[in-house]
Amino acid sequence: MELLKLVIVDDEPILLQGLIKTYDWAGMGFQVAGTAQSGEQAIQVIKEVKPHVVLTDIRMKQITGLMVMEEIQKTDLECLFIVLSAYRDFDYAQQACDLGAFAYLLKPIEDEKLQETMQGAYKTCVEKMKNEAKYESWENLLVKDSNSFLQVVVQKYVQNRIPQERVEEVFKTLEDVPGNGQRFITVCVEIDLAYKITNSLEYEASRFALIKLLEEVIGAAFFYWKIEGDEGDAFIIRTEDKGAVRKLKSLLEHVKKNEQSPVVASISKPYKGVEGIRRSYLEARRLLEMASMSGASALTASEDVEVPLAEETGGDNDALVVNAVRRNNTKELKEAFIHLIYSLPSDEEKQCRCLQQVMLKTEFMLQESYGLTEAIEEKFRKYYYNLENLSGAKTVDVCYKILCSAVEERMKAAQKMETKYFKEYMSEAMTYIDEHLQDEDLSIVSVAAHVYLNPVYFGRVFKNTCHMTFKKYLMQQRMEKAKKLLESGNGSIGEICDAVGIYNPSYFSHLFKQYTGKLPSEYKKEYEG
């Protein structure tokens, strides 16, 4: 097994040495090539060592693990970050994941979890190295494989995964540089997204049949590269035919007539050179988006009109709304929805179509994650059913209420998942409470620290799990213990006060009467023989 380079970072010298010496890194496929005891030192070591993986603590003085990640991302270094986090640093861990951390491990580290994570990191690094090696050897490809190889290169290029300079090198090596007479035109065709709502069972079958038909009709007339992706399929045509756009329009009309389902299509303008490949692709994607939102069956760019590309436009208001729902953030949803409203076109019919598009995207997100209960699904259905009867203003109101309801349901679902996940830790917390009732300083802060949770976060999870606040639970346990001690007749009132962590007898008597309706002395008499 080839050992990969690992850098370990922790500002606690003892913990750092423990990490280095406790674990069999070689057995997991790594050699410790460098260590650091501060964020500043970590940045320097990472730049010098160029490790495959960095294992770093999040909470460090001055420069945190998050800052280290941000700084390394500014360089051309590529390494996986695995962050160490106590439960109380849960928010930091989430930020680390947002920054692209491969994984985060909770302290104290479980051997099995560490082994699993490091094996996953090793596999990812090795796979990446193999792919890079394959890519570096593209010059050795035979000319007979040039078309299939170009297909892969072009797909990566239009998806912004390799630079234009590299693509130009590929064309030169294969002696296939686009000539002055050649143009690139992209065609995007999809089944209307709304069809998935009304005919969900037929949607995928219709889409598959559509793509197959396009491969036949376009392939019979032009050379093309088919680009597959999450946003749908596209056909990049390479041609010297000056009438290609007109012919493609005719072909699409033929396809739409033969399709039973509603088809949305777009055709870019012709563009020259390698740069034109990506330009045509982005333009067609943008046109398809505009066609879908406006309800047009097909859009083609006019020669004298510049189409704003998706990557060149400002904030995507649709995405802001969907992401606010995804994050279960009602405040963020309100702000995003206001931005969306101000960006709507003046035409009322187009306003309704834009809002419909947002609702469709949100519903698909809910389907793929969680929160789409029967009640929420029914609200979406009623909205779609009454689309034609809703004015622009009413549509805005209805959509916002449905989105707020979706967030509310997702928050409930998230609480259930959270409660289930932390059930074991709440059990540990309760055990700790029972064992330390005599401690006057026992508090939500001390118990949360014991289970490595932020006190505020712990309080919320505790309440969701036990259906009462921490303060109420603690008082209940102290009073129940006092009752048992009084019933058994063991110990004076002062000793019982000490046993339940309430050292002031007068205050204890006051609390006990509030809880039982009787003073401790009265309660004790009932159990005396």
Side-chain angles (χ1 to χ4, degrees):
M1 176 190 292
E2 178 187 357
L3 296 183
L4 304 184
K5 290 187 287 186
L6 171 70
V7 166
I8 302 177
V9 184
D10 200 305
D11 62 351
E12 294 289 342
I14 295 176
L15 294 178
L16 179 60
Q17 289 302 311
L19 286 169
I20 296 169
K21 297 178 180 179
T22 303
Y23 302 101
D24 178 17
W25 297 111
M28 290 184 270
F30 293 89
Q31 60 170 329
V32 180
T35 62
Q37 294 185 23
S38 69
E40 184 178 7
Q41 187 182 9
I43 294 169
Q44 183 180 350
V45 171
I46 293 169
K47 288 181 178 179
E48 291 175 356
V49 173
K50 296 180 176 58
H52 298 90
V53 176
V54 177
L55 182 68
T56 180
D57 189 18
I58 281 186
R59 189 185 287 268
M60 295 188 291
K61 297 174 183 176
Q62 294 181 336
I63 297 179
T64 66
L66 295 177
M67 294 177 185
V68 172
M69 291 179 66
E70 289 176 333
E71 189 64 28
I72 296 302
Q73 284 181 351
K74 295 175 184 177
T75 70
D76 58 356
L77 295 175
E78 292 187 11
C79 55
L80 297 184
F81 277 88
I82 298 172
V83 298
L84 302 178
S85 157
Y87 278 114
R88 60 179 176 272
D89 298 326
F90 188 71
D91 291 340
Y92 287 107
Q94 286 185 314
Q95 291 177 50
C97 290
D98 291 341
L99 284 171
F102 176 76
Y104 74 90
L105 299 173
L106 300 173
K107 294 180 178 179
I109 304 174
E110 297 178 10
D111 290 355
E112 186 177 334
K113 186 65 176 176
L114 176 65
Q115 182 85 16
E116 179 186 334
T117 302
M118 297 307 295
Q119 286 176 349
Y122 184 88
K123 183 178 179 181
T124 300
C125 289
V126 170
E127 190 69 27
K128 184 173 180 291
M129 290 161 63
K130 285 180 179 178
N131 289 337
E132 288 176 350
K134 287 179 183 177
Y135 185 76
E136 290 298 331
S137 65
W138 58 262
E139 293 94 340
N140 300 321
L141 285 173
L142 298 176
V143 174
K144 67 177 182 179
D145 296 323
S146 62
N147 285 339
S148 57
F149 181 60
L150 273 175
Q151 166 75 43
V152 175
V153 171
V154 168
Q155 174 144 344
K156 289 185 177 181
Y157 172 49
V158 298
Q159 293 172 347
N160 205 25
R161 292 158 61 191
I162 55 176
Q164 180 180 326
E165 295 78 15
R166 202 64 184 271
V167 180
E168 289 173 345
E169 288 179 29
V170 173
F171 276 100
K172 287 178 183 178
T173 301
L174 297 175
E175 298 180 353
D176 193 16
V177 178
N180 289 330
Q182 291 187 330
R183 301 290 186 275
F184 296 98
I185 305 164
T186 299
V187 175
C188 291
V189 183
E190 277 292 341
I191 301 295
D192 190 347
L193 202 59
Y195 188 66
K196 187 171 184 179
I197 296 296
T198 56
N199 299 274
S200 57
L201 294 178
E202 298 178 17
Y203 175 81
E204 291 301 335
S206 297
R207 188 178 180 282
F208 178 79
L210 172 64
I211 298 301
K212 288 299 178 186
L213 179 58
L214 285 169
E215 289 175 350
E216 291 178 13
V217 297
I218 294 178
F222 300 100
F223 171 84
Y224 70 84
W225 293 302
K226 181 184 168 190
I227 308 301
E228 299 177 349
D230 296 336
E231 300 174 335
D233 295 345
F235 295 83
I236 299 179
I237 288 94
R238 180 177 184 176
T239 181
E240 294 185 0
D241 187 345
K242 293 182 179 179
V245 172
R246 177 176 49 79
K247 291 179 181 178
L248 286 166
K249 284 183 182 178
S250 178
L251 287 175
L252 288 180
E253 287 300 321
H254 171 73
V255 168
K256 285 192 289 182
K257 287 179 182 178
N258 283 275
E259 280 295 309
Q260 299 298 317
S261 50
V263 174
V264 181
S266 65
I267 305 174
S268 75
K269 290 182 288 189
Y271 288 99
K272 296 171 62 175
V274 173
E275 181 184 358
I277 299 174
R278 191 159 184 266
R279 180 74 186 179
S280 73
Y281 175 81
L282 294 174
E283 183 174 276
R285 281 285 178 217
R286 181 59 177 157
L287 284 167
L288 185 72
E289 181 184 333
M290 293 166 64
S292 298
M293 292 179 67
S294 64
S297 61
L299 281 183
T300 305
S302 301
E303 291 293 334
D304 55 347
V305 175
E306 192 70 16
V307 179
L309 303 185
E311 66 174 13
E312 296 173 349
T313 57
D316 185 345
N317 292 307
D318 290 16
L320 289 176
V321 171
V322 175
N323 287 335
V325 176
R326 182 182 283 111
R327 284 191 281 266
N328 306 335
N329 192 319
T330 51
K331 181 181 178 182
E332 192 177 310
L333 172 61
K334 183 177 180 180
E335 293 173 355
F337 203 78
I338 290 171
H339 281 296
L340 175 67
I341 292 171
Y342 281 119
S343 71
L344 291 174
S346 56
D347 182 76
E348 186 171 300
E349 184 177 348
K350 290 182 179 178
Q351 290 175 2
C352 294
R353 288 193 178 277
C354 289
L355 289 167
Q356 180 189 3
Q357 189 76 8
V358 174
M359 297 300 283
L360 286 166
K361 289 179 180 179
T362 304
E363 185 176 15
F364 293 153
M365 182 276 290
L366 295 175
Q367 287 175 349
E368 293 168 1
S369 53
Y370 64 93
L372 191 63
T373 62
E374 290 184 6
I376 295 297
E377 195 169 13
E378 180 61 23
K379 288 183 179 182
F380 274 100
R381 291 291 166 276
K382 287 181 178 178
Y383 160 70
Y384 297 132
Y385 182 78
N386 292 292
L387 270 177
E388 295 181 0
N389 302 321
L390 295 174
S391 64
K394 186 63 177 175
T395 301
V396 168
D397 182 55
V398 170
C399 289
Y400 184 65
K401 286 180 178 177
I402 294 174
L403 294 174
C404 287
S405 298
V407 170
E408 186 178 340
E409 288 301 322
R410 283 173 65 83
M411 290 176 71
K412 290 178 183 177
Q415 283 183 356
K416 290 179 182 178
M417 289 188 286
E418 186 179 70
T419 300
K420 181 180 179 181
Y421 180 78
F422 286 107
K423 188 176 181 180
E424 181 180 337
Y425 300 98
M426 290 303 103
S427 176
E428 173 65 22
M430 291 175 189
T431 300
Y432 183 82
I433 292 169
D434 290 342
E435 292 175 351
H436 293 79
L437 285 175
Q438 73 282 0
D439 184 357
E440 186 180 23
D441 295 326
L442 185 65
S443 66
I444 191 170
V445 174
S446 60
V447 178
H450 178 71
V451 293
Y452 302 100
L453 277 175
N454 175 286
V456 176
Y457 187 74
F458 170 76
R460 189 178 82 232
V461 176
F462 188 95
K463 186 176 181 180
N464 290 337
T465 305
C466 302
H467 307 293
M468 67 176 72
T469 63
F470 173 87
K471 185 177 180 181
K472 184 175 180 180
Y473 179 83
L474 177 58
M475 184 56 62
Q476 174 184 286
Q477 294 306 104
R478 281 175 162 161
M479 293 300 104
E480 288 300 322
K481 184 174 182 178
K483 283 170 61 178
K484 289 179 181 178
L485 291 172
L486 289 167
E487 290 169 10
S488 66
N490 295 326
S492 63
I493 297 296
E495 290 173 334
I496 293 174
C497 286
D498 292 343
V500 297
I502 304 173
Y503 297 142
N504 186 319
S506 297
Y507 185 54
F508 167 74
S509 297
H510 171 73
L511 293 174
F512 190 85
K513 186 171 184 180
Q514 275 191 335
Y515 186 77
T516 64
K518 301 175 183 178
L519 290 169
S521 55
E522 295 171 342
Y523 190 87
K524 186 176 182 180
K525 284 182 181 179
E526 292 183 359
Y527 289 90
E528 289 178 347

